[in-house]
Amino acid sequence: MVWGIAGIVLCSILIIGLFRVGNTSKEMTYDHYEGRVFYEIFVRAFQDSDGDGIGDLNGVTQKLDYLQELGIRGIWLMPIQKSSSYHGYDVEDYYAIEEDYGTMEDLRRLIDEAHKRDIKIVMDLVINHTSSEHQWFQEALKGEGAYRDYYIWTDDMTKEHEYSPMGTKGWAKSPTKEELYYAIFWKGMPDLNYDNPHVISQIKEIATYYLELGIDGFRLDAAKWLHDEKEKNIVFWNDFREHVEGVNPKAVLIGEVWDQAFNCKEYAGPLHSFFDFDLGEQIIKTLKSGRLSSVATSYISHYEMYKEQSESFVVAPFLTNHDQNRIMSMIDGDTDQMRMAAAMYLTLPGAPYVYYGEEIGMLGTKPDEMIREPFIWSTDLSKNTSWAPITNEIEVVALEKQIENEESLYHFYKKMIGLRNSQKALSRGDISLVKAPKSVFAIARAIEGEEIMVLINGGKEVEKVQIGEARYRVLLSTEDSYKEKSKMQQEVELQQNHILILKKE
Ligand code: CA
């Protein structure tokens, strides 16, 4: 027992109202973004439509019904522009679609078909750098002309050994002259010069082009690296947001600001949203220690900090993405833990992002190609892309197998996302902590008189949580002890790994 008898007896009001992430002026904000569950797609790995084994945009269109069925209401497309690499994070031409993926017309069709299903499409915008094959850089290498100052140069060769603020070798040798150019990620990705107003207007034009095509927003790659100084980044993103909202007031900017929460907060002003990188790490850590309660506590405190910057800010919870070892590998393939991880982040406020394949428990650890393997639709290999070898155990992971099995991870994801979509308190409600033992993730979400409680016991002992005098109905329980629709009040008992979601009557 973690808290004393006296505590249980005295504690009739159990929801601690200390932390409230406000929904006060909600309706003015983001019906078109907040509360929606997004799905991150690596197009090359997802679905092939033309038999070359490589995933493409028409393949994504073919699978929109699958995503809709899962409850997905937004898609983040990893880079789709013409690129020199398999992953696309070095763009060669911002106005052309990667040949392997299809055409601009295919993108237009994907957007239309997604919108018919009320699914938003957000695309990766990679503008910290271009590919070294981009025409701008090729022109700039000549040493003169309009594109020279699109990039950052020095003839001080001693800088070759200097480190960038990211901790990488910041400068690369020019292939044509005795000089260096700035490229903090890799020599094939020269950094654009954001002190040059021409660069800024080019980037704005690119954004306009895709917004006019119907794209609903951008996932901003490397959002904190455009300038080395944070203040200058903030100025840029404010200006960019103003431009974007001028084209489409409902467009959203979701930043990759990969840093600790405290260092991200200034970006909550100019960006509508960014990913909470701390959350996934913390979920993995607490699943191992069995102390789940801290997940909600720190999420709320971060969110409060962001909301202070901007009341309309929406955080994006997720487990792992295309740059990280897959969640299922991080918890050693334990499906009970996987369910708890999903139940936590899919019941927190914000706009959650599912990484493709997560819902079927795909495994993967770096190198990068292995965390971006073909989505496994079927045990019939011809139905999956073949862009890279599959090392996952196909018989276990294949979606078609999981669809047949009501107890599968896929069905659990579908249930969780379905609950979030059908219960406004879960998608848009305020959050507060519920008093519970340390091993229990315990939150309440409330909106317009509706209240939902989420209780998850990650410890090894049976735990009790006081839920007060009100009557609750079970929306979801992973233990048979509480059947759906059973009623309860005052005290609930949670088994190990038990996920229990209740709605106040
Ligand atoms: Ca193809």
Side-chain angles (χ1 to χ4, degrees), residues 214-234:
I215 285 286
D216 299 294
F218 301 107
R219 179 265 183 188
L220 306 165
D221 185 61
K224 62 175 253 199
W225 296 117
L226 270 59
H227 291 280
D228 285 349
E229 306 83 8
K230 184 188 272 183
E231 296 71 25
K232 289 171 81 174
N233 279 321
I234 301 300

Side-chain angles (χ1 to χ4, degrees), residues 48-56 100:
D48 171 30
S49 73
D50 60 5
D52 67 357
I54 298 174
D56 44 49
D100 289 339

Side-chain angles (χ1 to χ4, degrees), residues 47-77:
Q47 167 72 5
D48 171 30
S49 73
D50 60 5
D52 67 357
I54 298 174
D56 44 49
L57 292 174
N58 288 337
V60 177
T61 307
Q62 284 175 1
K63 291 297 183 184
L64 285 172
D65 290 339
Y66 165 72
L67 296 174
Q68 189 179 28
E69 173 94 9
L70 182 60
I72 297 303
R73 298 183 64 210
I75 291 171
W76 154 21
L77 294 171

Side-chain angles (χ1 to χ4, degrees), residues 246-419:
V247 182
N248 176 2
K250 285 188 164 183
V252 281
L253 298 177
I254 305 114
E256 179 203 29
V257 187
W258 196 340
D259 209 331
Q260 287 169 337
F262 185 78
N263 292 327
C264 298
K265 67 174 184 204
E266 289 88 350
Y267 290 89
L271 305 182
H272 301 92
S273 183
F274 54 65
F275 301 99
D276 186 330
F277 279 87
D278 283 350
L279 177 71
E281 276 174 37
Q282 206 186 3
I283 285 178
I284 292 163
K285 201 175 74 195
T286 57
L287 282 170
K288 290 191 196 302
S289 70
R291 297 183 159 210
L292 299 188
S293 65
S294 58
V295 170
T297 321
S298 58
Y299 186 81
I300 292 171
S301 70
H302 296 164
Y303 209 171
E304 284 226 310
M305 182 170 67
Y306 304 147
K307 286 276 187 184
E308 267 171 36
Q309 294 281 325
S310 163
E311 174 60 26
S312 58
F313 180 77
V314 178
V315 81
F318 73 106
L319 293 173
T320 55
N321 71 16
H322 65 279
D323 283 325
Q324 298 163 304
N325 292 336
R326 280 186 177 271
I327 177 73
M328 194 60 158
S329 294
M330 295 309 287
I331 54 174
D332 306 318
D334 183 324
T335 47
D336 285 328
Q337 292 197 0
M338 190 61 224
R339 284 188 177 83
M340 291 192 279
M344 283 190 271
Y345 93 102
L346 291 170
T347 55
L348 288 169
Y353 282 69
V354 178
Y355 182 42
Y356 84 94
E358 179 190 310
E359 76 277 27
I360 51 173
M362 280 176 63
L363 294 160
T365 52
K366 292 191 175 201
D368 287 345
E369 289 85 341
M370 296 185 74
I371 54 181
R372 304 169 185 173
E373 286 191 6
F375 185 94
I376 302 169
W377 301 100
S378 173
T379 52
D380 172 358
L381 287 182
S382 72
K383 292 188 174 155
N384 308 321
T385 67
S386 55
W387 90 269
I390 296 176
T391 62
N392 271 269
E393 211 178 316
I394 292 173
E395 290 288 333
V396 177
V397 178
L399 175 72
E400 62 176 19
K401 293 270 182 191
Q402 295 203 31
I403 285 178
E404 289 167 11
N405 173 10
E406 281 293 325
E407 302 300 311
S408 67
L409 185 63
Y410 161 74
H411 279 290
F412 183 77
Y413 261 82
K414 197 175 153 187
K415 241 179 252 170
M416 284 305 309
I417 298 170
L419 265 186

Side-chain angles (χ1 to χ4, degrees), residues 7-17 434-435 466-469:
I8 296 175
V9 174
L10 292 173
C11 221
S12 53
I13 298 166
L14 296 128
I15 293 164
I16 304 169
V434 175
K435 190 168 169 57
Q466 307 302 310
I467 60 170
E469 294 303 317

